[in-house]
Amino acid sequence: MSYSESVQPLFHPFTLGNLTLSNRIVMAPMTRNLSPNGVPGSDVAAYYRRRAENNVGLIVTEGTVVNHADASNQEDVPFFYGKESLDSWANVVSEVHKAGGKIIPQIWHMGARGNVNDYSESEVVEIVNAFAQAASEAKRIGFDGIEIHGAHGYLIDQFFWEKTNERTDRYGGSLVARTRFAEEIVKACRDAVGPDFTIVLRISQWKGIDYSAKLAKTPDELKQFLKPLVDAGVDIFHCSTRRFWEPEFEGSELNLAGWVKQITGKPTITVGSIGLDGDFMALFTEGKGATNAGIEGLVQKFENDEFDLVAIGRALLVDPEWATKIREGRLDDLVPFTPEALKTLY
């Protein structure tokens, strides 16, 4: 069997409710800080369209911040509020749809204060409402769903993690209680968009300040953690790991996406250094590049029904034709991930 034949399972269609994708390849959300004053320009629309034209089944946009004063502390991150920003996002959606692609925004609150214990309950409610407003706007301007960013040590994840959440009210305490903030966000978004609009939740065990962190240390704890989120209305879990091939718990080869799918029965997206020969964090923290790696192990896990979709980050960031080249077996044409290539961000 040729390489191009072996990867064909990743190019089978996927349908969930009203969402139908041409294949299983997802563009992972990647912050680029290229939206001056929070407004994504025509260059952003062209950037996403190029991936849609090249066999990316679903695009998840870079993180877009909700309408709350403390949502961001970075310049040129796109907003998901205000007429100018939303009109520009509508143009992005139009360009992607013209190319035959599907696209969802990642809606995000960075938790810029870095301390969830400082938020009053009334302010928590304001943030929940800001997410719901963003979800409503996403549906209005034609997106195909939303992704809520609940990973990597940002605000929602700060509520999840016992080391950052020391609250003594209803948003703190037990593992289940620490999910309440996210649960309320998902419920509010579901109420805003109705039953047929896809809601993805991105989760991770690791944090930007602790790569070995575990929200759930056992499968049973993971089950406790996930149940309120499923009940709230999550359709797909986007399970972020540093290395997709690593087992999540001892005694099983399942990665995080595999465990989440087994526990919930919900579709999952796997992500983590796919298509690269190195750990993606080292590519940045140590200034390393990476050559392209085969994805045969990924395909085997996919065919074992461990997950439904695969998200590609850095490999697709530097090479908009990555999915097309993989599908056609043009491995020699793949663009390596290097600091020089990264500067293009095209």
Side-chain angles (χ1 to χ4, degrees):
M1 182 185 297
S2 68
Y3 184 88
S4 60
E5 290 173 328
S6 70
V7 300
Q8 287 311 302
L10 299 180
F11 293 92
H12 293 166
F14 171 81
T15 297
L16 179 68
N18 290 339
L19 179 67
T20 296
L21 308 178
S22 61
N23 62 58
R24 308 307 179 100
I25 304 295
V26 177
M27 181 177 185
M30 291 171 286
T31 297
R32 301 190 306 143
N33 300 90
L34 293 175
S35 294
N37 302 311
V39 179
S42 59
D43 58 324
V44 175
Y47 166 80
Y48 288 119
R49 177 167 181 152
R50 290 193 69 184
R51 276 78 185 168
E53 291 171 338
N54 281 282
N55 285 294
V56 173
L58 176 64
I59 291 169
V60 184
T61 74
E62 60 211 282
T64 70
V65 294
V66 299
N67 189 11
H68 181 257
D70 200 36
S72 174
N73 60 359
Q74 296 182 23
E75 292 185 3
D76 300 331
V77 168
F79 299 161
F80 210 80
Y81 59 90
K83 186 177 187 306
E84 188 176 6
S85 291
L86 292 172
D87 286 350
S88 295
W89 278 120
N91 180 56
V92 173
V93 172
S94 176
E95 290 299 306
V96 168
H97 284 171
K98 287 176 185 176
K102 299 292 177 70
I103 184 169
I104 64 177
Q106 184 186 74
I107 54 177
W108 187 24
H109 191 300
M110 296 182 193
R113 282 184 213 159
N115 188 346
V116 302
N117 309 301
D118 292 341
Y119 291 94
S120 66
E121 287 201 34
S122 62
E123 192 170 14
V124 169
V125 172
E126 289 177 11
I127 296 169
V128 169
N129 291 337
F131 273 91
Q133 181 61 36
S136 177
E137 296 287 18
K139 184 176 182 180
R140 178 184 67 82
I141 63 180
F143 277 96
D144 300 295
I146 59 167
E147 174 170 290
I148 299 167
H149 196 346
H152 305 164
Y154 294 111
L155 185 65
I156 292 174
D157 200 25
Q158 291 170 20
F159 274 83
F160 284 153
W161 197 27
E162 61 185 351
K163 291 189 178 181
T164 48
N165 185 345
E166 298 176 347
R167 300 178 70 104
T168 57
D169 60 8
R170 63 197 186 97
Y171 295 105
S174 69
L175 176 63
V176 172
R178 296 195 305 273
T179 70
R180 184 165 288 120
F181 176 54
E183 178 187 358
E184 291 184 0
I185 287 173
V186 174
K187 283 182 177 178
C189 289
R190 177 58 70 204
D191 289 344
V193 300
D196 301 321
F197 196 69
T198 301
I199 295 178
V200 181
L201 177 64
R202 195 175 214 210
I203 59 172
S204 71
Q205 297 261 47
W206 67 272
K207 318 298 168 201
I209 60 171
D210 186 349
Y211 298 152
S212 63
K214 295 273 191 184
L215 293 174
K217 299 176 181 64
T218 65
D220 184 63
E221 286 188 354
L222 185 61
K223 183 176 182 179
Q224 295 176 50
F225 170 77
L226 292 168
K227 186 179 186 304
L229 304 172
V230 171
D231 293 345
V234 174
D235 294 306
I236 301 172
F237 286 93
H238 188 171
C239 304
S240 179
T241 55
R242 294 177 66 196
R243 309 174 184 97
F244 80 87
W245 57 87
E246 291 187 343
E248 191 59 36
F249 301 113
E250 291 185 8
S252 168
E253 291 300 310
L254 292 176
N255 67 7
L256 181 60
W259 273 107
V260 171
K261 182 174 183 178
Q262 179 172 287
I263 288 169
T264 66
K266 295 289 185 180
T268 59
I269 306 171
T270 196
V271 67
S273 301
I274 294 171
L276 301 176
D277 70 348
D279 175 352
F280 77 84
M281 293 306 299
L283 306 179
F284 292 97
T285 59
E286 300 173 23
K288 293 181 178 179
T291 56
N292 296 291
I295 59 172
E296 294 86 349
L298 174 76
V299 175
Q300 185 60 57
K301 282 181 167 290
F302 174 78
E303 292 192 303
N304 289 343
D305 203 30
E306 291 188 29
F307 40 77
D308 303 88
L309 300 157
V310 299
I312 314 300
R314 277 70 193 175
L316 193 54
L317 180 65
V318 297
D319 191 346
E321 299 177 8
W322 185 89
T324 295
K325 292 173 182 177
I326 289 292
R327 185 172 194 175
E328 296 175 355
R330 294 160 48 204
L331 304 188
D332 291 343
D333 294 338
L334 292 169
V335 178
F337 183 94
T338 64
E340 292 73 24
L342 184 60
K343 290 175 184 177
T344 64
L345 291 177
Y346 64 111

